[in-house]
Amino acid sequence: MTQAIDLTRLVHLADLFKHFNSGKHLNRLSDAALWAELEQEQEAYAALFQALGYELRIDGRGFAWFHTDEKSTTLSQQSRQFALLFMVIFDTQADAGKALNRFSDWVIDRALFTTASEHHQELLQAEGLDVDALLALMERAETFGFARREAGHWQLLPAVCRYLDHFEALAEQLTDETTVPDVDEPEEDTP
């Protein structure tokens, strides 16, 4: 038997459902009131959404979303573009000596995209992306809760960890595949 959920305690139910159902991420940095309620009533929201056929995922680093295993063409294309966007941002910042885990401190603006475009010119050209297209992608990333606009620039939000986790896993996998185990060299026989 399932336990009853007291809907009167879920003050922002409609707001949270609309937010998640539109494909957006909720970040503790961008909407403190909704985040506080979600955190306080986490079990009730998760149970209710699950009963409705949705899987709410809450990451301890400060973001939440509706997870789906279904792959739509639009979602895949958009996710691929976001992956490319964040990859060029992370790679450009890493080349500049910036700590990847401090991404929320970075200033994401036209100047950064100009540098990223120069560093990744062939890749971005192959995808038909220039600086203006990267800026447009950043605006879409903002819509889905991966960034927020500040005075003249964007700040990456904790939901970007979903992409960073994948990048780090891929880098680790590549390192594992290219690392040759140390093997003792056979000693030469001396006459």
Side-chain angles (χ1 to χ4, degrees), residues 3-43:
Q3 184 176 349
I5 299 171
D6 181 3
L7 295 179
T8 61
R9 293 182 57 173
L10 306 182
V11 179
H12 294 291
L13 176 59
D15 294 333
L16 285 168
F17 182 78
K18 181 180 177 183
H19 189 88
F20 291 133
N21 198 41
S22 65
K24 296 178 181 179
H25 291 73
L26 179 67
N27 289 276
R28 74 169 169 241
L29 296 178
S30 62
D31 197 328
L34 284 179
W35 182 261
E37 168 147 346
L38 180 63
E39 215 171 32
Q40 184 177 356
E41 300 294 338
Q42 179 176 341
E43 289 181 25

Side-chain angles (χ1 to χ4, degrees), residues 113-134:
F113 286 129
T114 300
T115 301
S117 197
E118 292 167 2
H119 284 101
H120 300 283
Q121 184 176 11
E122 289 180 24
L123 175 63
L124 293 172
Q125 281 180 346
E127 291 295 322
L129 298 173
D130 60 10
V131 172
D132 290 328
L134 291 172

Side-chain angles (χ1 to χ4, degrees), residues 77-96:
Q77 174 68 13
Q78 183 168 273
S79 185
R80 196 182 101 200
Q81 288 180 339
F82 285 158
L84 180 58
L85 171 72
F86 296 131
M87 185 211 61
V88 299
I89 291 171
F90 279 107
D91 192 60
T92 301
Q93 294 293 68
D95 287 349

Side-chain angles (χ1 to χ4, degrees), residues 107-163:
V107 171
I108 311 298
D109 59 6
R110 179 176 280 282
L112 176 71
F113 286 129
T114 300
T115 301
S117 197
E118 292 167 2
H119 284 101
H120 300 283
Q121 184 176 11
E122 289 180 24
L123 175 63
L124 293 172
Q125 281 180 346
E127 291 295 322
L129 298 173
D130 60 10
V131 172
D132 290 328
L134 291 172
L135 289 165
L137 265 174
M138 198 65 200
E139 287 177 7
R140 282 204 330 250
E142 179 183 1
T143 301
F144 287 94
F146 292 108
R148 71 175 169 191
R149 193 179 302 263
E150 297 288 323
H153 68 278
W154 285 277
Q155 173 191 23
L156 296 178
L157 294 172
V160 170
C161 288
R162 292 187 64 196
Y163 286 95

